[in-house]
Amino acid sequence: SLVVNDNRAIAIDELTEAFVTVTGYGMEELSQTVSISGGKGTFVFDKVPAGKNRIVTVKSNVDGIVMRNIVDVELAKVNSVTVNWDSTALGNVFYYLNKDKVDITKVDAATIKTAIPNVHACYVDAEKIAKEYKLATLKEKVDQLNRQAKLEAKEKALIIREA
């Protein structure tokens, strides 16, 4: 099974198709539906404009599963990208930056990565990281957990103290 977060697992055979989009600064969104088998699918987009940090979003037919990654698209080259949970936090930050009309072609992904904590993507407050980047107040990884992750960490700490 595919673990979405600590509380929910999904059987791989429930994943039968995904809606894939490619977007980025200065381009129109491209989209297509892709078949999934064994938890994997393949997609090809023609005519994606060249540019840095194009955002690839994969939304499955199972509610709540959205994964992202970024890819630099170069002319006259096959540009490949893998989209999975490990890539999603970074992709989500770029999604929010693009949504806020930031020229993401000029954003250094390595800078963004320094603010992403080493936790599952569902615990990363990507919108907060994007806002802090825009304000030039980007914080360390520990400050970028979302409210749910902070509550769960607090609950686990309380359980440890009670033992």
Side-chain angles (χ1 to χ4, degrees), residues 46-100:
D46 294 322
K47 301 180 183 174
V48 176
K52 248 184 98 179
N53 300 325
R54 299 303 188 198
I55 305 160
V56 180
T57 301
V58 178
K59 182 176 182 180
S60 81
N61 63 298
V62 178
D63 187 41
I65 298 179
V66 176
M67 297 180 187
R68 290 190 175 93
N69 201 354
I70 57 171
V71 61
D72 294 340
V73 176
E74 299 176 38
L75 288 175
K77 182 179 175 187
V78 175
N79 302 275
S80 299
V81 64
T82 298
V83 181
N84 56 34
W85 285 122
D86 292 337
S87 67
T88 296
L90 180 64
N92 284 345
V93 174
F94 276 86
Y95 166 81
Y96 286 111
L97 288 170
N98 192 58
K99 186 176 172 183
D100 288 342

Side-chain angles (χ1 to χ4, degrees), residues 69-147:
N69 201 354
I70 57 171
V71 61
D72 294 340
V73 176
E74 299 176 38
L75 288 175
K77 182 179 175 187
V78 175
N79 302 275
S80 299
V81 64
T82 298
V83 181
N84 56 34
W85 285 122
D86 292 337
S87 67
T88 296
L90 180 64
N92 284 345
V93 174
F94 276 86
Y95 166 81
Y96 286 111
L97 288 170
N98 192 58
K99 186 176 172 183
D100 288 342
K101 309 284 191 248
V102 172
D103 182 352
I104 60 174
T105 65
K106 297 178 181 173
V107 176
D108 178 33
T111 300
I112 300 299
K113 286 179 183 178
T114 64
I116 298 175
N118 296 321
V119 296
H120 191 282
C122 70
Y123 293 128
V124 176
D125 194 340
E127 188 171 12
K128 178 181 176 188
I129 295 170
K131 286 180 182 176
E132 288 180 358
Y133 178 85
K134 278 180 58 178
L135 297 171
T137 60
L138 204 55
K139 302 239 180 6
E140 293 181 24
K141 294 179 181 192
V142 73
D143 294 327
Q144 305 303 351
L145 298 175
N146 64 24
R147 185 171 183 270

Side-chain angles (χ1 to χ4, degrees), residues 2 4 7 20 31 53 129 140 145:
L2 172 67
V4 175
N7 302 318
V20 181
S31 62
N53 300 325
I129 295 170
E140 293 181 24
L145 298 175

